[in-house]
Amino acid sequence: MTTISTIDRPRLTLWLCFAVAVLDGYDLQAMAIAGPALRAAMQLDPRQLGFAFSASLIGLALGAAYGGRLADRIGRKQVLIVSLLALGMMTVATALATDFRWLVTLRILAGLAMGGVMPNLIAIAASASRGERATTKVAAMICGMPAGGVVASMVGHALIARYGWQGLFVLGGVLTVVIIPALLRWLAEPGAEQLGLTAARTAAASWRESLFGERRALPTLLLWVLFIFTLAIFSTVAGWVPTLVVDKGLPAAVGYQSLLAINVGGIAGALILSSSCDRWGVRPVMLATYAAMAISLWLFSSAATIGAVVSLAGLVGFWMLGAQCALYGISPQIYPAANCSTGVGSAVAAGRIGSILGPVIAGYMMGQGTTANQLIFIMAPLAVLAGAVLLALAASTGNALRAGAH
């Protein structure tokens, strides 16, 4: 009879990483779902609510930059587990917040902890893939994040109706802590020898050498720009979809249906696009992805009926979230195994800068008279520009992103 002790350890590691990604995605979506209730309970104005939404992303950007580097020095599993414990505690503590100041403080701290989780999930999953269809396996694991968003969307309103907005955060925090014993027992992590470096050499490698040494300066900078563009597009579109729906004269409920369609489409896109990258190579697949993203954004901005809006939202999510998840799978291929967390962490941090700046710039443009339709339309040329950056990245990495299998 098959038992947990006889299950393939790398496969179990990937499933555990997926479960953690689900919890991360739940936490990120929970704030948006709790927003209306929080606004009423704490009497927040739109500016305060917007800053509260961004607080965890600010923390995540800072945490990812340092969490990945710390993990390459002392161990990915250790940093992942400590970060998860902190995330669970800060998420539960969010339920105790009574005013705007404490709410923002606790969400920034939760974001810092989350920053220690994401790059290490990706690095551990990449190691567990053992070079076999690595892009597919890492992207499939990251699918846990939009899946967590779907779960939060499905249970969030019921939890708030019964337990208040606090119930949403208590559930997420408790589940995050509960998974830690399973990670301690079964999560695999390669040692320094398996990574091809001694522990001393790993610790001695500087942050600059990890990111920019051995002709990695240009690929690293291009990867950062690509993450910034891709996540700026996603955060802007996701943030303004409800407004877009209302501007079109459709019921507000269609906005929530569209967000759900974006997440569901994104899961399908991540699985299909990452598998295609492993089969045919990153450059042709991702170039086609960004071109299709631009076209779907243009169509979405001009859609007028409920069916068209929801269907095209799913199509936008397929290309937009699919590209984002595929990038998480591609990133570890640019860096040596021993410095993978540092490289991926810096890319995640750069992407979160895009997540923060995108909605801020969009808000300014809306204040200057830009409509939500126009805002979504403007994202199409940005997707084309991201495709050009991807082309430059592929050229700068030699064969690393051209091979059809990894």
Side-chain angles (χ1 to χ4, degrees):
M1 182 177 67
T2 301
T3 64
I4 287 182
S5 61
T6 62
I7 292 176
D8 181 42
R9 187 77 175 272
R11 182 179 300 175
L12 181 57
T13 292
L14 289 169
W15 277 110
L16 288 170
C17 288
F18 175 83
V20 174
V22 170
L23 295 172
D24 262 15
Y26 176 98
D27 186 87
L28 284 171
Q29 191 74 37
M31 191 65 195
I33 294 171
L38 277 168
R39 183 177 183 177
M42 297 186 184
Q43 297 183 332
L44 304 178
D45 61 40
R47 180 188 60 83
Q48 289 175 316
L49 190 62
F51 191 78
F53 288 158
S54 298
S56 61
L57 297 178
I58 294 170
L60 199 158
L62 296 172
Y66 291 99
R69 181 61 186 153
L70 184 63
D72 281 339
R73 286 180 173 270
I74 68 174
R76 294 165 189 167
K77 183 174 179 178
Q78 293 92 318
V79 172
L80 174 64
I81 288 172
V82 170
S83 298
L84 273 177
L85 179 61
L87 175 60
M89 292 171 63
M90 291 304 103
T91 301
V92 171
T94 299
L96 305 177
T98 56
D99 58 30
F100 172 71
R101 182 187 64 179
W102 276 110
L103 176 66
V104 169
T105 299
L106 290 167
R107 293 312 296 163
I108 289 176
L109 292 174
L112 281 169
M114 195 179 298
V117 173
M118 284 189 64
N120 292 301
L121 278 183
I122 295 166
I124 290 172
S127 297
S129 300
R130 297 173 295 186
E132 300 172 359
R133 300 173 64 237
T135 304
T136 301
K137 292 180 180 179
V138 173
M141 181 274 295
I142 286 294
C143 278
M145 296 194 72
V150 170
V151 171
S153 298
M154 293 174 66
V155 306
H157 295 293
L159 282 172
I160 292 173
R162 183 162 186 176
Y163 302 107
W165 63 266
Q166 295 90 341
L168 202 59
F169 293 99
V170 170
L171 177 63
V174 169
L175 290 177
T176 299
V177 173
V178 164
I179 200 174
I180 290 176
L183 299 177
L184 287 168
R185 174 66 180 85
W186 292 299
L187 189 72
E189 179 189 19
E193 292 77 11
Q194 291 173 277
L195 296 177
L197 287 176
T198 64
R201 268 187 73 193
T202 302
S206 69
W207 179 84
R208 180 177 297 179
E209 180 183 350
S210 299
L211 295 178
F212 305 120
E214 299 178 3
R215 300 183 178 180
R216 285 191 296 272
L218 183 57
T220 292
L221 293 173
L222 289 171
L223 183 66
W224 290 355
V225 172
L226 189 55
F227 263 90
I228 289 172
F229 285 175
T230 304
L231 270 75
I233 292 170
F234 169 72
S235 61
T236 302
V237 172
W240 289 101
V241 158
T243 303
L244 172 70
V245 166
V246 173
D247 282 356
K248 292 177 181 294
L250 300 175
V254 178
Y256 297 106
Q257 295 170 7
S258 298
L259 286 175
L260 183 61
I262 286 173
N263 279 300
V264 173
I267 293 172
L271 295 174
I272 293 172
L273 295 179
S274 59
S275 177
S276 299
C277 285
D278 278 333
R279 183 171 183 181
W280 290 300
V282 169
R283 184 166 58 175
V285 172
M286 294 301 287
L287 280 175
T289 294
Y290 282 107
M293 188 191 306
I295 294 170
S296 63
L297 285 166
W298 173 69
L299 292 172
F300 183 52
S301 69
S302 58
T305 65
I306 292 177
V309 167
V310 174
S311 299
L312 286 168
L315 185 62
V316 167
F318 180 94
W319 300 113
M320 186 173 61
L321 265 174
Q324 181 180 328
C325 292
L327 284 182
Y328 287 127
I330 293 165
S331 299
Q333 300 170 27
I334 296 174
Y335 301 96
N339 300 325
C340 184
S341 290
T342 300
V344 172
S346 70
V348 170
R352 292 306 160 182
I353 292 173
S355 293
I356 296 165
L357 291 180
V360 170
I361 295 172
Y364 174 79
M365 293 174 63
M366 294 283 285
Q368 297 299 308
T370 303
T371 67
N373 273 346
Q374 293 169 337
L375 187 65
I376 302 299
F377 179 80
I378 291 170
M379 293 297 104
L382 188 57
V384 174
L385 187 57
V389 175
L390 183 280
L391 184 62
L393 175 63
S396 70
T397 56
N399 292 324
L401 301 183
R402 293 181 185 176
H406 300 281

